Amino acid sequence: MLEIRGKKLRLVIDEERIKRRVKELALELERELGGGEPPVFIGLLKGSFIFLADLIRELSLPAVVDFMRVSSYGSGTESSGEVRILKEPELELKGKKVVLVDDILDTGLTLKRVKEYLLEKEPAVLKTCVLLDKKEARKVPFEADLVGFEVPNDFLVGYGLDWGELGRNLRGIYAVEL
Ligand code: PRP
């Protein structure tokens, strides 16, 4: 039984299911974005780094990668509600096909804010792609264009998601039995 700081972890989505779903998402993105200039994939640090790495390696089209960092919830489990841009993308996005990638859509505050920010850069296309969607947790209306899995309102770790910075390197997605 896996544990973090004495709390048991319950497997929610195993590595193989994630892998299959990431391939499907990559195919969908290829259908939607193929042809023309390579799309720019923007990962939100830190949670997206593993999903983004796997997603772009499943693509059979050229892709460009950039990152953003926004203010996080710290090491607790609750949202403060405020989202600040801490690191802007480095690439020019005007007229580009942009895919905003994140590990989880929770309250919706982060992606809503980041999407608004990116739209100001005038991309030709802006898609949002999340691995996990915790629909029950929404505080603001927001839907991603591509979603890997809908998940219940558990505290999740693994595959990039952390609990107080631990658990990001787990290969599956687990619920922390708090
Ligand atoms: C998590 C996650 C999303 C955001 C989603 O990041 O990676 O970016 O929260 O939450 P929301 O929909 O409620 O806004 P976190 O702030 O924990 O930082 P991290 O990516 O560095 O782990």
Side-chain angles (χ1 to χ4, degrees):
M1 174 65 83
L2 286 170
E3 290 191 353
I4 294 181
R5 297 195 185 91
K7 301 291 183 193
K8 291 195 171 62
L9 303 185
R10 171 172 49 85
L11 184 63
V12 178
I13 309 172
D14 71 22
E15 192 182 351
E16 281 310 310
R17 265 184 84 198
I18 297 172
K19 202 168 184 174
R20 283 199 301 273
R21 190 67 187 121
V22 170
K23 276 188 188 175
E24 290 171 0
L25 292 172
L27 269 177
E28 182 65 34
L29 285 166
E30 273 176 36
R31 270 197 293 272
E32 293 183 14
L33 302 174
E37 273 192 78
V40 183
F41 285 77
I42 300 186
L44 285 193
L45 292 169
K46 304 178 194 175
S48 72
F49 79 112
I50 290 178
F51 176 41
L52 179 69
D54 284 350
L55 185 66
I56 58 172
R57 287 180 298 171
E58 292 296 347
L59 289 172
S60 49
L61 38 97
V64 172
V65 178
D66 206 339
F67 289 96
M68 286 179 70
R69 177 91 172 121
V70 300
S71 53
S72 83
Y73 305 158
S75 50
T77 59
E78 290 301 314
S79 165
S80 63
E82 195 201 346
V83 179
R84 280 177 304 125
I85 311 287
L86 302 179
K87 182 204 173 297
E88 306 200 2
E90 289 162 24
L91 301 172
E92 172 64 49
L93 302 178
K94 190 169 179 166
K96 300 287 167 62
K97 291 182 280 191
V98 174
V99 185
L100 172 58
V101 177
D102 208 359
D103 52 350
I104 188 163
L105 177 50
D106 200 323
T107 64
L109 290 161
T110 304
L111 282 193
K112 182 173 182 285
R113 170 81 177 92
V114 175
K115 186 177 176 180
E116 285 164 3
Y117 168 89
L118 288 174
L119 284 173
E120 286 169 16
K121 307 279 177 196
E122 300 176 26
V125 178
L126 177 60
K127 299 271 179 201
T128 51
C129 176
V130 296
L131 182 69
L132 306 175
D133 186 355
K134 221 189 243 186
K135 281 198 190 300
E136 289 167 55
R138 238 27 134 255
K139 288 186 179 165
V140 290
F142 189 91
E143 296 304 322
D145 299 308
L146 289 98
V147 172
F149 302 94
E150 277 188 33
V151 287
N153 204 0
D154 294 319
F155 195 84
L156 301 174
V157 295
Y159 201 73
L161 289 98
D162 73 307
W163 180 36
E165 293 302 328
L166 292 177
R168 294 194 199 271
N169 58 328
L170 295 166
R171 289 173 170 267
I173 307 239
Y174 296 80
V176 182
E177 304 274 16
L178 293 169

